[in-house]
Amino acid sequence: MSTQRTLLIIKPDAVGKHAIGEILSCLEGEGFIIRALRMEQLAMERAQEFYEVHKERPFYGELVEFMTSGPAVPTVLEREDAVTHLRAFIGETDSTKAAPGTIRAEFGTDVQCNAVHASDSPETAEREISFFFPS
């Protein structure tokens, strides 16, 4: 199996809880290598563009509003099977249903304030990484 990169965003709720360091430490402890990261306050237009795939979903407006409510920390992570491994490691989208020990169970509170976003496929990871880190 080859190394792979994926995108994780520490969302405004987790940033507001001062959980950036703890989340990054958990990721490194799980074998992820941090290849790039920065803090960014998403403008409305950028958030709309990033989540355009959900534009027709009923939660789109609330998601965009939430993601622009405070700073977020987009992060490029690398390891073997990064996309699949990260998705399992962060847990269910709804933090109340996430398995104990997962990022979302530990740092999230519900389906929206779920601490992190993670790419759902290698193709999505490529697109999302280039969105935040164009070089």
Side-chain angles (χ1 to χ4, degrees):
M1 191 161 292
S2 63
T3 2
Q4 185 180 60
R5 289 187 176 192
T6 191
L7 184 86
L8 173 113
I9 302 172
I10 301 174
K11 292 182 175 182
D13 60 311
V15 172
K17 291 178 187 173
H18 309 288
I20 298 168
E22 284 183 84
I23 291 171
L24 293 175
S25 180
C26 290
L27 293 164
E28 287 184 317
E30 189 63 20
F32 288 96
I33 297 168
I34 298 167
R35 292 296 181 196
L37 78 114
R38 71 162 187 267
M39 186 176 280
E40 178 178 338
Q41 174 77 46
L42 282 173
M44 185 68 66
E45 301 75 32
R46 255 178 81 73
Q48 289 171 333
E49 183 183 346
F50 185 76
Y51 286 106
E52 190 169 9
V53 66
H54 297 304
K55 193 172 184 125
E56 303 305 318
R57 313 279 294 271
F59 59 82
Y60 174 75
E62 286 178 18
L63 175 61
V64 167
E65 189 175 314
F66 168 63
M67 289 301 293
T68 58
S69 68
V73 181
T75 309
V76 178
L77 301 172
E78 183 178 272
R79 67 162 282 153
E80 282 188 14
D81 199 25
V83 173
T84 304
H85 195 91
L86 183 61
R87 299 284 300 176
F89 187 64
I90 66 171
E92 292 282 329
T93 302
D94 184 343
S95 295
T96 63
K97 297 176 182 169
T102 62
I103 298 289
R104 287 177 168 159
E106 298 299 314
F107 300 99
T109 54
D110 56 38
V111 73
Q112 180 163 280
C113 295
N114 60 8
V116 293
H117 161 93
S119 303
D120 62 5
S121 72
E123 298 75 26
T124 303
E126 198 173 298
R127 181 180 59 77
E128 292 181 347
I129 288 168
S130 66
F131 181 87
F132 286 104
F133 302 95
S135 54

